[in-house]
Amino acid sequence: MDSAFHKELTCVICLNYFIDPVTIDCGHSFCRPCLCLSWEECKTPASCPMCRETSAQTEFKSNIVLKKLVALARQASLSQCLNSEEQMCVAHKETKTIFCEETKTLLCLLCSDSQEHEAHSHCSIGCAVEEYREKLTKQRKSLWENIQENERNLNEEGRVISQWMDYIYLQRKMIRDEYQKIHPVLQKEENQHLRGLKIESKNILQQLKKSKATMVQKRKHLIEMHEELLDMCHKPDVELLQNLGDILTRSESMLLYMPQPVKPALSARPITGLIDRFSQFQVGITLNYEISSYDIMLFDDVRSLKCRHDPEDVPFPSGRSSYFAACGSQAFSSGKLYWEIDVDSSWDWAVGVCKDTWIRKNSPVIKSRDIFLLLCVKEGNHYNILTTSPMLSHYIERPLERVGVYVDFDSGSVSFSNVAKSSLIWRYPSCSFNYPLRPFFCIGHTGSWGSQENGTSISEGSFLN
């Protein structure tokens, strides 16, 4: 083959024929796995391995033309190899053109018809090479996706571990502060509460560390298997067929189990008298019709919540969004107030309070400092509990039925409670705000006003109180 033509079909990273070639922004082409590995190791912005031009491209499509040219070049090389003396059948002095699927050996036509091989499945060597190289390439892609998934899970587990003790410290401080507001006869309960928290948090931390160690070991095995598959894909055709062994079976078994992150959730421990104390300040909240589903932009994730003010009288709800949101018609600026929201068993909701200006600012929840929300977000088969201002993950049991919202303007604090368990979910530090606030509620919604879809009931005109 012409050396110039051969050069154009060779990846400059691995110096072999292209495997699943892709072309990036600058026009240069590389093996997909070679480019992915190169950019994976690169700490600076990704750039072309040849011309060093920076590339923002993250998704690649296979270069079909280049892939076909590589296939033709491989066929020419294979034909040349099979016609060499090394690949002649010793017994029959015939060129080997047949591949035996059972024994994974190269045969001449006469050998394939012999008693030893006649009952086996056969195909031409050219077809076998393309089929197995394609299988190896697909398997490598799947393995690479699993490596990326494992890396994300490993980072998530590491993040939770690094935050765990700080989160437990905040929980302990919050519990102590709450018990100080209650009669001192509950000193024994407080000690039991804190002791239970300590034991449970220690057990969960051990689970997290064990899970991380399992993921680290899985990453090692996945990378080793990926390298073996990539090396096999680059082998010359005849060598590839002769060295297949059980590599496909082993790589498939590697994909059967992927360790998943632990989803830690502390038990909801009751605090005697908590809800009774909050209920002394219970108020009725009237819904405000200014926010309708016309005005909600959620992008199917309550954490991306935005509301925009629309002075026009829009039917409520409009049905143009999968989410329903409402705020209280009255803004509160003093005293102590408490209300409850029935979220039942829904996995996608937000409750709390917000500043008037947030509704009109077009500001997303995750960036705003004018909104204090408790959010439940469904992700796959799991849920995440978060609070805003700033955005903080909470590793606690998901509240069912009612969530209590307690606002104390005297101390400038907002608290959220699990009403059914009489437990405190989160309390913002004192002096978190010093301005009027409105109640706020948002939930995944696909039905009409007053419906009970998504397991959540909302009484028309008011929040549950």
Side-chain angles (χ1 to χ4, degrees):
M1 181 187 297
D2 181 81
S3 59
F5 183 55
H6 180 275
K7 183 179 178 181
E8 293 302 316
L9 302 180
T10 300
C11 172
V12 297
I13 299 176
C14 65
L15 303 179
N16 290 302
Y17 278 133
F18 287 118
I19 296 292
D20 191 12
V22 294
T23 304
I24 60 176
D25 295 334
C26 61
H28 291 122
S29 300
F30 308 92
C31 299
R32 183 191 297 269
C34 292
L35 184 64
C36 289
L37 284 169
S38 173
W39 284 3
E40 184 82 3
E41 298 168 357
C42 183
K43 296 182 180 180
T44 56
S47 60
C48 172
M50 285 187 70
C51 67
R52 300 302 173 187
E53 181 179 321
T54 302
S55 175
Q57 193 173 355
T58 56
E59 297 294 329
F60 308 108
K61 289 185 178 180
S62 298
N63 188 321
I64 304 299
V65 174
L66 199 52
K67 189 174 183 180
K68 288 180 178 179
L69 289 173
V70 170
L72 291 172
R74 287 186 184 279
Q75 288 174 15
S77 297
L78 175 62
S79 178
Q80 186 177 357
C81 176
L82 293 177
N83 287 323
S84 65
E85 290 187 11
E86 292 180 5
Q87 295 302 326
M88 294 290 287
C89 174
V90 176
H92 302 108
K93 304 301 180 184
E94 294 281 341
T95 302
K96 296 177 182 178
T97 59
I98 307 295
F99 179 69
C100 177
E101 296 279 0
E102 274 70 22
T103 62
K104 300 291 189 292
T105 54
L106 308 184
L107 308 170
C108 72
L109 186 59
L110 294 175
C111 285
S112 67
D113 290 333
S114 67
Q115 187 175 356
E116 181 184 356
H117 294 283
E118 63 180 350
H120 296 167
S121 297
H122 304 125
C123 65
S124 71
I125 292 176
C127 290
V129 166
E130 290 304 312
E131 179 185 346
Y132 279 102
R133 182 169 275 113
E134 190 63 28
K135 284 182 179 179
L136 289 166
T137 299
K138 286 182 178 179
Q139 200 74 334
R140 187 213 59 79
K141 284 182 181 178
S142 298
L143 210 62
W144 179 255
E145 290 169 0
N146 277 259
I147 289 172
Q148 300 304 300
E149 178 190 343
N150 187 73
E151 195 65 27
R152 289 191 296 270
N153 292 342
L154 193 53
N155 290 337
E156 172 65 14
E157 215 74 319
R159 184 184 66 82
V160 176
I161 289 172
S162 67
Q163 296 176 352
W164 185 250
M165 296 314 297
D166 288 340
Y167 181 70
I168 297 303
Y169 170 80
L170 291 174
Q171 284 286 319
R172 290 176 63 85
K173 184 177 186 305
M174 180 182 70
I175 291 164
R176 283 199 179 101
D177 291 346
E178 200 60 40
Y179 271 105
Q180 286 180 4
K181 301 173 185 177
I182 307 174
H183 199 277
V185 297
L186 294 177
Q187 179 68 44
K188 183 178 179 181
E189 179 185 302
E190 179 184 353
N191 292 336
Q192 291 175 338
H193 195 137
L194 293 172
R195 186 162 52 250
L197 175 62
K198 181 179 180 180
I199 293 171
E200 187 177 16
S201 65
K202 183 178 179 180
N203 290 337
I204 290 176
L205 183 59
Q206 288 176 344
Q207 292 176 35
L208 288 164
K209 289 181 177 179
K210 183 178 179 181
S211 173
K212 183 180 178 181
T214 302
M215 290 179 186
V216 169
Q217 188 68 14
K218 186 69 176 182
R219 176 175 61 182
K220 178 177 179 290
H221 293 155
L222 286 169
I223 290 174
E224 287 174 352
M225 190 76 249
H226 181 268
E227 289 175 350
E228 189 176 347
L229 281 170
L230 187 55
D231 180 61
M232 183 64 74
C233 286
H234 282 308
K235 286 185 181 298
D237 293 347
V238 171
E239 192 177 340
L240 183 150
L241 292 177
Q242 291 176 330
N243 290 276
L244 274 172
D246 62 348
I247 188 170
L248 287 171
T249 304
R250 287 188 292 110
S251 61
E252 284 171 3
S253 65
M254 186 71 66
L255 301 175
L256 291 178
Y257 168 71
M258 284 293 294
Q260 296 300 308
V262 174
K263 294 294 181 180
L266 295 167
S267 303
R269 291 181 169 78
I271 297 177
T272 301
L274 178 73
I275 302 303
D276 290 340
R277 185 167 65 84
F278 287 163
S279 295
Q280 298 175 49
F281 309 102
Q282 195 153 0
V283 294
I285 307 296
T286 303
L287 293 174
N288 188 334
Y289 285 78
E290 281 188 356
I291 298 179
S292 76
S293 52
Y294 270 113
D295 306 316
I296 304 170
M297 295 180 289
L298 286 169
F299 310 107
D300 296 323
D301 186 342
V302 75
R303 285 172 300 185
S304 302
L305 173 65
K306 285 185 181 180
C307 287
R308 66 175 188 272
H309 178 63
D310 189 347
E312 296 181 8
D313 185 17
V314 181
F316 183 78
S318 67
R320 288 179 59 185
S321 169
S322 60
Y323 284 80
F324 157 78
C327 68
S329 58
Q330 180 182 358
F332 297 99
S333 58
S334 63
K336 299 176 181 180
L337 311 103
Y338 176 72
W339 61 91
E340 294 175 358
I341 306 295
D342 191 345
V343 297
D344 198 13
S345 57
S346 174
W347 286 45
D348 209 9
W349 48 262
V351 301
V353 291
C354 66
K355 192 175 181 181
D356 271 350
T357 52
W358 175 79
I359 299 172
R360 295 169 171 81
K361 257 191 333 191
N362 234 10
S363 176
V365 164
I366 200 166
K367 295 180 180 177
S368 177
R369 294 284 177 172
D370 297 333
I371 185 163
F372 302 89
L373 295 182
L374 175 70
L375 304 93
C376 180
V377 181
K378 188 173 187 289
E379 292 187 347
N381 295 321
H382 302 282
Y383 64 86
N384 283 337
I385 301 294
L386 309 108
T387 50
T388 60
S389 299
M391 189 65 76
L392 176 68
S393 295
H394 291 269
Y395 310 107
I396 196 162
E397 181 181 329
R398 177 169 63 102
L400 302 176
E401 299 178 0
R402 294 189 178 197
V403 172
V405 182
Y406 175 65
V407 183
D408 184 349
F409 279 92
D410 296 339
S411 63
S413 180
V414 179
S415 301
F416 300 109
S417 58
N418 183 334
V419 178
K421 297 294 182 73
S422 188
S423 66
L424 189 62
I425 299 171
W426 179 244
R427 181 173 63 81
Y428 283 95
S430 298
C431 300
S432 293
F433 64 89
N434 58 359
Y435 41 76
L437 295 171
R438 289 181 185 271
F440 182 87
F441 176 50
C442 176
I443 194 162
H445 179 83
T446 56
S448 59
W449 170 249
S451 74
Q452 294 190 14
E453 298 202 16
N454 289 329
T456 304
S457 59
I458 308 165
S459 56
E460 183 171 358
S462 66
F463 287 117
L464 295 171
N465 56 74

